[in-house]
Amino acid sequence: MAPASAGAVVISVDAMGGDLGPEATIAGVAKAARTAPELQFIVHGPQEVLAPLIAQHNLGDKVELHHAEGVVTMEDKPAQVMRSGKNTSMWSAIESVREGAADVAVSCGNTGALMAVSMIRLRKIPGVNRPAIASFWPSRNAAGWNVMLDMGADVKADASDLLTYALMGSSYARNALGITRPRVGLLNVGTEEHKGRAELKEAYGLIEQTQDAGAFDFAGFVEGSHLAADRADVIVTDGFTGNVALKTGEGTAKLVSELLREALTSTLLAKLGALLAMGALKRLQAKVDPRRANGGVFLGLNGTVVKSHGSADATSFAAAIALAARLSKSGFAARLAARVASALPEMHDGPTNGAEASEKSESSQ
């Protein structure tokens, strides 16, 4: 059955990028298909590998298989993939979005290569100098998550880039988390206005001046201790800092989990206490399970790309697909482009009539 059936949301899947192989990605597709029957998929990779897996999960009426012999590995350099990666599953997955056959692409593959291929095939939207990767960060907010960007698309960011991140991040928070007027914080070494590098101080003024046009509230400088607090809904930073924060958070969460497990199994009394607290512990585990928030979104491109964690299992990959579907249904790509266009009119000719309509629709949420 062709994925382009009426009313379907079509997800383009790079099935070969994850650490756990195509077995995990196809199992994730199957899990997502059971949860959301309206989804259709274009799956990319070697036919001889994927066809049996698709049949095993009874996905024949949900999946269109696009044969792609090559695979982008985690060791491949982005420049190498751009030169000779046209036969890969990653390139093919992005091409389906570029051609309009799919609404959004999902991949577990090499982040640098995926961003490079996405940029060269989808191109940047007007007004965006550096695209960004936005991820969810668990927090005390009502939504349960903050949006943080950039998480590693580009290690550098000047003041105008940070302003664009604020606009894109607030648009993402509106569409993904349902926050009508997000609070935007700029990550710094302190909350005082005189602290930080020159580009941060300049960005402070630019973001503050643009909050009305961008339909967000500027919360000023925030510190690392505010990442999980109820201080801001969107945390803006450069890709170097964002990626270090992400990996630090993941490592700390893993350490705490291991220490807690050791403590709760150290003695017979501790095991008894753990048994009595089992219900609360399971609720805590479900709430902080990183698989629920799997999926970094590439912002600033003419198309939506979701980067799943490389070690994603079926549950994690299904969560990335669910995020991709939610963004597609909301018309997120057009709304983001319209928001940047309306808030940065001096950087391009202005939105088209369609973009103006999308911007008004986003503001009404």
Side-chain angles (χ1 to χ4, degrees):
M1 182 177 182
S5 57
V9 174
V10 183
I11 311 293
S12 179
V13 176
D14 170 15
M16 305 303 295
D19 297 340
L20 302 182
E23 293 80 7
T25 55
I26 298 302
V29 168
K31 190 177 182 69
R34 289 193 298 270
T35 304
E38 75 279 8
L39 297 183
Q40 296 284 335
F41 302 89
I42 304 176
V43 175
H44 306 262
Q47 183 170 357
E48 66 276 12
V49 174
L50 297 181
L53 294 173
I54 292 170
Q56 176 185 333
H57 289 280
N58 298 314
L59 290 169
D61 62 339
K62 292 288 185 180
V63 168
E64 180 180 301
L65 176 56
H66 283 197
H67 176 71
E69 194 66 35
V71 176
V72 176
T73 70
M74 292 301 179
E75 290 72 36
D76 287 337
K77 291 181 169 53
Q80 174 188 347
V81 176
M82 285 192 291
R83 285 195 305 268
S84 57
K86 291 184 179 180
N87 70 329
T88 64
S89 58
M90 179 182 289
W91 190 291
S92 182
I94 299 301
E95 200 66 25
S96 286
V97 176
R98 180 177 182 269
E99 294 172 350
D103 303 294
V104 56
V106 183
S107 174
C108 292
N110 182 318
T111 303
L114 184 62
M115 176 58 81
V117 173
S118 298
M119 285 182 63
I120 197 172
R121 301 311 295 159
L122 301 179
R123 302 293 182 182
K124 296 178 289 186
I125 63 175
V128 173
N129 179 39
R130 291 187 173 97
I133 301 175
S135 295
F136 291 140
W137 193 286
S139 78
R140 300 296 294 177
N141 292 353
W145 307 98
N146 286 331
V147 171
M148 188 168 175
L149 71 165
D150 176 27
M151 304 303 277
D154 199 318
V155 296
K156 298 184 295 183
D158 59 26
S160 62
D161 294 323
L162 295 170
L163 169 60
T164 306
Y165 295 171
L167 293 168
M168 296 194 299
S170 59
S171 182
Y172 182 39
R174 269 188 295 273
N175 287 278
L177 297 177
I179 302 172
T180 304
R181 192 174 177 92
R183 299 164 297 168
V184 175
L186 183 60
L187 190 61
N188 198 358
V189 295
T191 58
E192 299 86 352
E193 292 185 31
H194 65 274
K195 286 191 173 182
R197 301 189 305 269
E199 62 267 26
L200 287 174
K201 296 176 185 177
E202 183 182 353
Y204 187 106
L206 291 175
I207 296 172
E208 187 175 42
Q209 294 167 15
T210 313
Q211 56 185 323
D212 288 336
F216 62 82
D217 293 319
F218 185 42
F221 285 137
V222 295
E223 300 178 284
S225 60
H226 295 136
L227 296 183
D230 189 11
R231 175 69 178 264
D233 305 299
V234 179
I235 308 291
V236 171
T237 189
D238 61 84
F240 181 91
T241 306
N243 194 262
V244 170
L246 175 65
K247 300 299 173 58
T248 301
E250 289 176 343
T252 302
K254 183 178 180 181
L255 174 63
V256 171
S257 176
E258 292 172 351
L259 292 176
L260 182 61
R261 186 179 298 109
E262 290 174 5
L264 293 175
T265 57
S266 59
T267 67
L268 182 60
L269 189 59
K271 291 178 182 178
L272 178 60
L275 183 63
L276 294 174
M278 187 61 68
L281 290 172
K282 285 185 176 180
R283 288 192 296 273
L284 174 62
Q285 183 183 37
K287 190 170 185 178
V288 300
D289 187 351
R291 297 180 302 173
R292 294 172 55 236
N294 181 44
V297 181
F298 290 2
L299 302 181
L301 302 172
N302 288 300
T304 303
V305 179
V306 174
K307 168 62 175 73
S308 170
H309 203 291
S311 60
D313 60 10
T315 299
S316 297
F317 199 70
I321 290 172
L323 172 61
R326 192 159 68 249
L327 293 175
S328 175
K329 291 175 183 177
S330 73
F332 170 66
R335 290 178 173 181
L336 184 145
R339 178 60 63 190
V340 173
S342 65
L344 301 175
E346 74 281 1
M347 299 184 71
H348 37 76
D349 296 332
T352 62
N353 290 337
E356 287 174 350
S358 294
E359 193 275 333
K360 290 177 182 177
S361 177
E362 185 196 45
S363 297
S364 68
Q365 286 199 352

